[in-house]
Amino acid sequence: MKYGRVYIEDVGVGDELPPLVKGPIQQIQLTRYAGASGDFNPIHQDDEFAKAAGMGGVFAHGMLSMGFVAQALTDWSGAGSVKKLGVRFAALVRLKDTVTCKGRVLSKASKDEVHTVELEVWAENQRGEKVVAGRATVALPSRA
Amino acid sequence: MPIQINRGVVGKEFPPYVVTVERGKIKEFARAIGDLNPFYLDDRVGQASEWGDVIAPPTFAVTFRDESADTGALLRELGTDISRVLHGEQEFEIVRQLKPGESYLCRTRVVDVYEKAGKSGPMAFVIRETAISDRANEVVATLRHITVIRL
């Protein structure tokens, strides 16, 4: 269902998003994300700086993982469908980590011809630890 | 010895700034995430879409920055520096899609600052909100950004 568009009628509470697997995270991706986002915090680039800051080494931008979660959503619901996305950064993503984004439908609502779905979304590392956890609201079309 | 955070920044509004979205920047951002959705990357797909052009991915507005209103400026006022900062939480509310060539006005304010004991010691939480509006002065997106400072 890559780049798919689901209809509100096809969605049920408890439905799960197709998992999106990203990584293993490489330094070049963090450097690329720094350039694309404008977040040049050396803690994501310079291992010595990150160690001196007490972080034990370089880790990924939280916003990169949030971007992965947003991709997992829109791969399912379609580009331009996200109305709200809010996450907490629960744990650091390190180099070589694999990030798997998941989601589950919590509720559906229809009001004034606007159909929305609320989801629980999260991302896990290769040990099954949550690195990102949050909620999303997407708007879906109706077959009607 | 924990550092002292200047709570006087609560309520502060940073100088508003204008950002014009560049087509290439949308594509660079999507590719950096590895999100190759054609609605972000393919101009022909964008032109044929309901938006009439490519659109930005949901988290793109995080690229909207200005020296006078960025994290560095905030940290100086708070009395700390980048090495102590973690991103705690982030939220986007999207009313309308951001598109290339459009200019947006960004207004950021500090909503709250509070301290809390964290797993690895005392921490300060700084909550900022940025309202992004279009030329008609309608809000198209809102960002809520929680920065964590290790004290």
Side-chain angles (χ1 to χ4, degrees):
Chain A
M1 181 115 55
K2 188 95 168 153
Y3 310 131
R5 194 96 160 106
V6 288
Y7 291 90
I8 190 74
E9 290 85 357
D10 303 332
V11 177
V13 171
D15 285 0
E16 294 191 2
L17 290 188
L20 175 69
V21 181
K22 304 289 274 188
I25 301 296
Q26 294 180 300
Q27 182 62 61
I28 186 69
Q29 185 164 30
L30 305 189
T31 304
R32 213 171 161 186
Y33 188 79
S37 70
D39 181 349
F40 289 101
N41 187 339
I43 217 150
H44 306 302
Q45 309 297 331
D46 181 340
D47 212 47
E48 277 180 36
F49 179 92
K51 281 180 178 146
M55 301 309 295
V58 160
F59 58 95
H61 304 78
M63 285 309 303
L64 177 61
S65 297
M66 190 176 190
F68 295 161
V69 170
Q71 183 187 347
L73 269 175
T74 52
D75 279 358
W76 174 72
S77 60
S81 64
V82 176
K83 296 286 155 201
K84 196 168 176 178
L85 176 60
V87 303
R88 182 174 61 85
F89 301 105
L92 299 179
V93 172
R94 300 283 185 181
L95 299 180
K96 301 193 173 93
D97 279 0
T98 299
V99 178
T100 303
C101 304
K102 299 181 176 180
R104 184 182 297 127
V105 174
L106 295 173
S107 62
K108 289 168 68 168
S110 292
K111 194 183 165 194
D112 303 330
E113 312 270 301
V114 179
H115 310 285
T116 55
V117 171
E118 181 147 353
L119 300 103
E120 176 190 12
V121 290
W122 68 96
E124 302 171 355
N125 64 19
Q126 65 278 12
R127 292 179 296 278
E129 297 157 348
K130 275 191 188 179
V131 294
V132 172
R135 291 275 189 109
T137 307
V138 298
L140 296 181
S142 168
R143 288 186 193 281
Chain B
M1 179 74 185
I3 56 166
Q4 294 293 315
I5 286 295
N6 169 22
R7 288 199 80 256
V9 298
V10 175
K12 178 188 166 76
E13 293 191 21
F14 291 94
Y17 59 96
V18 174
V19 172
T20 301
V21 173
E22 293 170 33
R23 184 174 302 277
K25 200 73 198 168
I26 290 178
K27 298 178 184 186
E28 180 190 8
F29 186 79
R31 288 198 178 102
I33 292 168
D35 187 345
L36 305 182
N37 196 308
F39 287 91
Y40 310 143
L41 295 177
D42 188 327
D43 292 335
R44 276 178 295 184
V45 169
Q47 275 159 23
S49 75
E50 64 189 275
W51 302 285
D53 205 339
V54 293
I55 57 171
T59 62
F60 181 76
V62 78
T63 67
F64 290 3
R65 290 168 191 274
D66 184 77
E67 264 180 27
S68 61
D70 70 2
T71 299
L74 174 69
L75 295 177
R76 283 190 292 279
E77 276 195 61
L78 286 168
T80 183
D81 70 78
I82 195 94
S83 69
R84 291 176 179 269
V85 171
L86 292 171
H87 199 167
E89 296 181 27
Q90 181 71 40
E91 187 178 286
F92 295 84
E93 260 192 86
I94 300 161
V95 182
R96 276 216 297 282
Q97 302 304 316
L98 303 174
K99 297 200 292 187
E102 297 287 330
S103 294
Y104 301 97
L105 183 69
C106 305
R107 297 171 194 267
T108 300
R109 66 190 178 94
V110 180
V111 178
D112 200 8
V113 176
Y114 59 88
E115 293 184 20
K116 213 162 79 172
K119 273 182 283 186
S120 54
M123 302 200 169
F125 293 73
V126 182
I127 304 176
R128 273 177 292 172
E129 279 182 5
T130 301
I132 298 171
S133 48
D134 63 12
R135 284 179 186 277
N137 208 25
E138 286 180 21
V139 174
V140 296
T142 310
L143 277 64
R144 190 177 165 88
H145 185 123
I146 303 187
T147 304
V148 180
I149 299 163
R150 297 176 295 138
L151 299 177

